[in-house]
Amino acid sequence: MDKPVIVGVDGSDPSLRALDWAADEAALHGLPLSVVHSPAWGAYEGYGPLLGVSRSARRIYADNVVGTAVERVSRRSTEVKAYGELVYEDPATVLTRMSREAYMVVLGNRGAGGLAGLLLGSVGLEVAARAHSPVVVVRGEDKNLHRGYRRIVVGVDEAGEASPVVQFAFHEAELHGADLDMVHAWRCPAREVPDHPDHLTDVERHRALAEQTLTEALPPTAGSSGVVNVRQRAVEGHARRALLDAASTADLLVVGARCRKSHVGMQLGPVDHAVLHHAPCPVAVVPHA
């Protein structure tokens, strides 16, 4: 059975934008769409009228969220088989578990406080850190959301580790008929040391290594497909800035995540955090070993 696209909904505008994006993706891939909601979502994110509301009223509201979302998908695309799933665990836990059998998990961007539109909610962060499938956080302006640029950007770290990340980005570019920009950021320590005696040689060496990393990360099928126009960009500077700049005219930004454990649980790296909070387009986080 084909793995579904899973989308988490909570009735908010950001989750409805994510629902529309996920429905379009499911239609393109020919995959079913699982629409998931938990009544605990509001409490988990710190919003919603849960105190003083009866259990039956919360159940009615939850049923309405799921039913309305499934109906919205059916109006958007007759090609997508969408079904609703009402769950009672905290949403991050259940979506992480469901990601084992998903093609991707899709979530909306949720604002918080005075920085609404910039910050990602705790559900999105936790699922992105722990999921077994790619996680897409849907954010950006209409042109980014409606795939108006026909361009996908993938961040390349190390060539070997980048394989599943680049493969995912390449497959998405192939299906969407989009160009694929592979971006690798590099820095030269000699530039940060005044009067370094071997400044030019060191710069050229780091640039050459960056270009080699991009070449080695290219999927073996890239040259033979003839479908995807691939551009490789070795950018001097911080990875966060390079990726955010490249994403301004992209339909999707793809990054890898080697999740790390700390005393507070699973954590994403600083680059992943930066793009999830501030990218101007949808962001796909692809787990790798």
Side-chain angles (χ1 to χ4, degrees):
M1 181 179 178
D2 291 330
K3 291 185 174 182
V5 174
I6 294 176
V7 58
V9 296
D10 63 358
S12 66
D13 286 342
S15 82
L16 293 180
R17 287 193 292 272
L19 177 69
D20 291 345
W21 193 95
D24 292 345
E25 193 74 7
L28 185 65
H29 284 268
L31 296 175
L33 180 65
S34 173
V35 180
V36 180
H37 174 67
S38 168
W41 205 305
Y44 200 81
E45 293 286 16
Y47 71 91
L50 294 182
L51 293 177
V53 177
S54 70
R55 181 176 299 180
S56 60
R58 291 199 298 268
R59 173 61 190 259
I60 292 170
Y61 174 79
D63 285 338
N64 186 58
V65 167
V66 173
T68 301
V70 172
E71 183 182 351
R72 183 183 178 104
V73 174
S74 67
R75 290 199 307 267
R76 188 175 184 87
S77 174
T78 57
E79 302 170 14
V80 178
K81 178 184 177 183
Y83 53 94
E85 297 192 58
L86 186 57
V87 297
Y88 290 90
E89 298 171 72
D90 72 75
T93 297
V94 73
L95 289 169
T96 299
R97 186 177 67 247
M98 294 175 74
S99 73
R100 291 183 181 275
E101 301 299 328
Y103 174 71
M104 67 168 64
V105 176
V106 181
L107 295 166
N109 171 64
R110 172 161 287 284
L115 297 176
L118 291 181
L119 295 183
L120 177 64
S122 56
V123 171
L125 282 175
E126 189 169 344
V127 176
R130 296 167 50 200
H132 305 277
S133 70
V135 174
V136 177
V137 173
V138 176
R139 52 180 303 121
E141 301 301 323
D142 284 348
K143 190 170 182 178
N144 305 99
L145 296 178
H146 297 149
R147 301 168 176 86
Y149 291 103
R150 303 184 73 83
R151 177 172 170 268
I152 290 174
V153 175
V154 57
V156 177
D157 189 2
E158 300 298 328
E161 296 172 352
S163 179
V165 183
V166 177
Q167 289 283 4
F168 176 85
F170 187 84
H171 184 53
E172 286 295 303
E174 212 169 21
L175 283 174
H176 286 282
D179 293 342
L180 178 62
D181 279 12
M182 298 172 61
V183 177
H184 176 68
W186 60 278
R187 296 177 66 191
C188 176
R191 285 200 189 274
E192 299 168 15
V193 179
D195 302 320
H196 191 284
D198 201 18
H199 173 79
L200 292 178
T201 302
D202 206 32
V203 168
E204 290 307 313
R205 182 171 64 86
H206 280 82
R207 182 181 288 113
L209 287 172
E211 291 171 352
Q212 180 182 345
T213 296
L214 285 168
T215 300
E216 293 175 351
L218 195 66
T221 57
S224 60
S225 75
V227 176
V228 179
N229 178 32
V230 179
R231 292 185 292 257
Q232 297 177 311
R233 297 175 53 202
V235 181
E236 183 179 7
H238 292 279
R240 294 187 295 272
R241 187 74 267 150
L243 292 175
L244 289 172
D245 287 347
S248 62
T249 54
D251 304 327
L252 181 67
L253 170 61
V254 183
V255 294
R258 186 200 287 116
C259 302
R260 18 182 127 170
K261 289 185 178 179
S262 75
H263 66 283
V264 292
M266 298 294 289
Q267 299 290 300
L268 293 167
V271 173
D272 293 328
H273 265 282
V275 299
L276 283 169
H277 285 301
H278 303 291
C281 70
V283 178
V285 178
V286 181
H288 63 82

